[in-house]
C-alpha cells in the first residue's frame, strides 16, 4: 500500500534561478520607468537623427552611430544604475533584499545581468535605426573583438562608478549629479563627439576618460580598426572604481 506524504518541504530556489528572476524584475522596472526609457533609447536615437541632419562635429554615420551606441551604454550602465540604486538604498530595498536568500552577491549579479539585457536591447534598436538611415559598419573579426571587449569593460566600469556614487550620496543628490554627469560627459567627454573635434588643448587629456575610451574604441571598431589603448584605460578605471565602490558602498541610507 502506497502512502502519500503531504508534509510541506519548502526550499530555496537555486542561485542561478534567483539571480535570473531578480535580473528580469530589474530589467522590467527599468523599461517601465519613463525617465530611464528616455535615457536608454529616446535621447540616443534623437542624437543620432539630429547628428545625421546637422553633421559637423558629430562626423559621418560611420562615427555617429557607434558614438550613439556608446552613449546608450553609458546611460544604462551609469545613469540608470546610479539613480535606481540610490532610491533603493533610501527606501531600504537594498538591505531587505540583501537579507533574503538572494544575498548581496546575488543582488549585484542580478543588477549586472539586468544592465546587460537592457544594453543588448538598446544596441539592437539603435543598430537597426542606424542601418535604416544608411549606416554601413565595416567590422572585421579583430575589430569586432576589440569593440566587444571595450563594451564589456565599459559596462563594468560605469556600473562601479554608479555604485560608488549611489552608495555614498543621498538619493536626491545622486539623481541630480548622475543626470548632470550624463550631460557633461555626453557633450564634452569624447563619447558622442570624436576627440579630434575638440580644441587642441583638450585632446591630450580626453583619451584618459572612460567615456572617450569607449567612444573612440567603438568608432574605430565600426570602420574595421582595432584600438587597444581604450582597453587599458577602461581596465584601469575599472580597478580603481571597483575597489573604491567596494570600500565605500553603504547598503543602508
Amino acid at each position: 500500500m502506497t502512502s502519500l506524504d503531504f508534509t510541506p518541504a519548502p526550499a530555496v530556489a537555486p542561485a542561478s534561478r534567483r539571480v535570473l528572476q531578480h535580473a528580469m524584475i530589474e530589467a522590467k522596472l527599468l523599461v517601465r520607468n519613463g525617465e530611464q526609457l528616455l535615457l536608454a533609447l529616446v535621447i540616443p536615437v534623437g542624437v543620432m537623427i539630429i547628428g545625421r541632419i546637422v553633421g559637423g562635429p558629430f562626423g559621418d554615420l560611420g562615427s555617429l552611430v557607434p558614438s550613439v551606441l556608446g552613449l546608450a551604454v553609458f546611460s544604462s550602465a551609469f545613469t540608470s544604475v546610479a539613480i535606481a540604486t540610490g532610491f533603493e538604498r533610501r527606501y531600504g530595498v537594498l538591505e531587505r533584499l540583501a537579507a533574503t536568500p538572494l544575498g548581496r552577491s546575488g543582488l549585484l549579479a542580478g543588477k549586472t545581468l539586468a544592465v546587460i539585457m537592457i544594453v543588448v536591447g538598446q544596441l539592437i534598436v539603435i543598430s537597426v535605426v542606424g542601418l535604416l538611415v544608411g549606416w554601413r559598419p565595416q567590422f572585421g573579426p579583430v575589430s569586432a573583438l576589440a569593440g566587444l571587449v571595450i563594451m564589456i569593460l565599459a559596462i563594468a566600469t560605469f556600473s562601479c562608478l554608479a555604485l560608488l556614487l549611489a552608495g555614498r550620496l543621498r538619493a536626491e543628490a545622486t539623481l541630480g549629479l548622475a543626470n548632470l554627469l550624463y550631460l557633461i560627459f555626453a557633450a564634452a567627454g569624447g563619447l558622442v563627439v570624436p576627440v579630434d573635434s575638440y580644441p587642441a588643448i583638450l585632446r591630450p587629456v580626453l583619451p584618459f576618460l572612460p567615456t572617450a575610451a569607449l567612444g573612440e574604441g567603438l568608432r574605430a571598431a565600426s570602420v574595421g580598426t582595432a584600438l587597444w589603448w581604450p582597453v587599458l584605460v577602461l581596465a584601469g578605471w575599472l580597478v580603481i572604481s571597483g575597489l573604491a565602490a567596494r570600500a565605500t558602498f553603504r547598503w543602508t541610507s
Side-chain angles (χ1 to χ4, degrees):
M1 181 177 179
T2 302
S3 61
L4 299 178
D5 185 3
F6 293 102
T7 303
V12 177
S16 58
R17 188 184 302 173
R18 298 198 300 267
V19 170
L20 180 59
Q21 290 297 321
H22 181 66
M24 294 296 295
I25 293 174
E26 289 270 356
K28 289 177 181 178
L29 290 175
L30 287 174
V31 170
R32 291 174 182 174
N33 188 304
E35 180 183 354
Q36 305 306 319
L37 190 60
L38 178 70
L39 290 171
L41 281 178
V42 177
I43 291 179
V45 171
V47 168
M48 182 166 57
I49 294 175
I50 293 174
R52 180 73 174 90
I53 297 173
V54 175
F58 294 100
D60 56 18
L61 277 177
S63 62
L64 177 60
V65 176
S67 298
V68 173
L69 292 175
L71 179 64
V73 170
F74 182 56
S75 67
S76 292
F78 176 73
T79 312
S80 295
V81 171
I83 294 173
T85 305
F87 281 96
E88 287 173 355
R89 189 168 70 88
R90 173 186 175 180
Y91 294 122
V93 175
L94 290 182
E95 58 182 311
R96 287 171 172 79
L97 286 177
T100 66
L102 182 65
R104 295 186 177 185
S105 60
L107 177 60
L108 294 177
K111 281 184 171 294
T112 302
L113 184 56
V115 171
I116 293 174
M117 291 178 180
I118 296 297
V119 169
V120 169
Q122 287 177 290
L123 298 183
I124 292 174
V125 172
I126 293 172
S127 297
V128 169
V129 174
L131 292 172
L132 290 176
V133 298
W135 179 48
R136 296 299 179 264
Q138 300 173 358
F139 291 108
V142 178
S143 64
L145 176 62
L148 179 61
V149 172
I150 289 170
M151 192 170 295
I152 292 173
L153 287 174
I155 292 173
T157 299
F158 293 139
S159 296
C160 287
L161 290 171
L163 294 177
L164 178 63
L165 188 69
R168 299 301 299 178
L169 301 179
R170 295 174 60 88
E172 294 81 4
T174 299
L175 173 64
L177 187 55
N179 283 320
L180 178 62
L181 291 175
Y182 174 81
L183 294 175
I184 291 175
F185 284 109
L191 183 59
V192 176
V193 178
V195 172
D196 291 341
S197 299
Y198 287 86
I201 193 174
L202 297 177
R203 293 175 194 171
V205 179
L206 286 175
F208 292 97
L209 296 177
T211 47
L214 173 61
E216 291 295 301
L218 292 183
R219 282 188 286 269
S222 71
V223 294
T225 302
L227 292 182
W228 296 107
W229 65 261
V231 174
L232 298 177
V233 172
L234 288 168
W237 276 93
L238 176 58
V239 171
I240 295 172
S241 60
L243 292 175
R246 181 177 181 181
T248 62
F249 189 84
R250 294 183 301 185
W251 291 84
T252 58
S253 58

